[in-house]
Amino acid sequence: MFRTIFTLSAFAAGLLSSSVMAAPTQDIAPRSARAADARAADSHAVLVAQNGDFDVYYDARGNRVIVDTETGKVLAIQPPQTRFDRRALRREGLRNLGPVEDDRYYLDDPEDTARLRRRQLEEEGLIVVPPVEEYDPYGDPVDAFPEAPLDGGNYGNNYPEAPQPVRPRTVKRQPLNEAAIEPVESTAPGDQAALPPKIDGKIVVDPSLSLGARQEVAALQVLLDRAGASPGVVDGRFGSNVDKALAAYNEITGSNLRSTDVVGIQAALEQSGGDAFASYSITPEDAAGPYVASVPEDYGQKAQLERLSYTSVTEALAERFHMDENYLKALNPEANFNRPGTIIKVANFGRLVATPVARIIADKGKKQARAYDASGKLIAAYPATIGSADTPSPTGTHAVSRVALDPNYTYNPNINFKQGENNKILTIPPGPNGPVGSVWIALDKPTYGIHGTPDPSKIGKTESHGCVRLTNWDARELAKIVSPGVTVEFID
């Protein structure tokens, strides 16, 4: 009896066990079929359990480990080289499908963390997303890699060739000769300063004389200088010297040019030699000098020097191009004047007057020296400093006795004037910074003459010791067209 009951119990338990095991088998079969379909649709898919709930971890080797959240069972292990690239799928989704509605982020993945933060910023309006076709947050910059090697395995080299070493050359130190100036290269028209603005149809020059406005005035000064009507230094400033030169220009040319006639000035410049300014390359001779550190005021100290040369390259070049030294520097603020090869902007004053002079008038009232040819036509006019109250200039008519270039100067306090505490006769060495500059045109009246000056910017604005003082370049020009016997008439 007991054996029968046990047998029946075992049989019943077997039936119950088989019925219980049948249910999961029936449930798994459809899932297996669906999973097979899914795997057929996507070879990279991973079968997960519990309605898709799983966790993703990364081990020390970089493998991606997928774990069932409920059971803790490892569902799959994906090595780095075999798992699909989620970044590529996201780019593809952005290009073809638009934004992903249900996108998961795994905070254990730094890339996902950054992407989640970016999406949050986009939703808050703090980041403007570019168009989808241009948006590639994971793209590598094109310029991050060097160019492909050329034939032979060498990379391209776009750098210019290194300059070849220049062989040293011997520079002969000698005084700069203004008369030996070669024609300079004119600048392009675009380098000229803009014309002054028009107000109510009239040209108005800014009273403050900014650098641009000063270049317009300087252009007028260059035009006047070309015609032989010297304005003194080209400094871009209106003044009595410009007014006198403009009147002389109209007399020489027979025109009626006004200082505000910008169109007329530009036309006259084109007809007389082109642009008012030109480019000049500083030469080794320019940089070599000779120069002196400074020129003392005391005549006794001057007499101890070998030569009263220029003190700097800028002083020498300013005088060579008939310019005020400070204005030359203002036109070339970045230039290194001490370096040969430096290209600077200078006044393009043209050629010197070459017509012989027959008569000179030294006008004390106008502070101007005017030169006429044999027919009585005005050919040149220069601003001048003529005498002073203490040492007045001669009166009446005198004649040129001789001409000396780069002369010494004899200081004699017993005849002329006394300078400082110097009571003895001194011989001052030659040079452009000497008391009579670089030219002496002696008159038949002893100790009087027409000469240059070490301070060209002061011509026509100061007093002299009785002589007719011009800029060095004006005195040199006059010295070339004058000869002994030419009359010099002093008028008040």
Side-chain angles (χ1 to χ4, degrees), residues 44-57:
H44 296 294
V46 177
L47 180 63
V48 297
Q50 303 300 332
N51 196 25
D53 292 332
F54 60 91
D55 292 330
V56 179
Y57 300 93

Side-chain angles (χ1 to χ4, degrees), residues 395-414:
T395 58
T397 301
H398 298 270
V400 174
S401 61
R402 60 186 176 88
V403 177
L405 299 178
D406 203 30
N408 292 324
Y409 173 73
T410 301
Y411 165 74
N412 189 343
N414 301 320

Side-chain angles (χ1 to χ4, degrees), residues 187-198:
T187 57
D191 293 338
Q192 296 291 328
L195 300 181
K198 288 186 177 182

Side-chain angles (χ1 to χ4, degrees), residues 46 57 59 62-67 74-80 82-83:
V46 177
Y57 300 93
D59 62 16
N63 297 320
R64 187 178 185 187
V65 182
I66 302 176
V67 179
V74 175
L75 301 178
I77 298 178
Q78 296 177 330
T82 59
R83 67 175 184 267

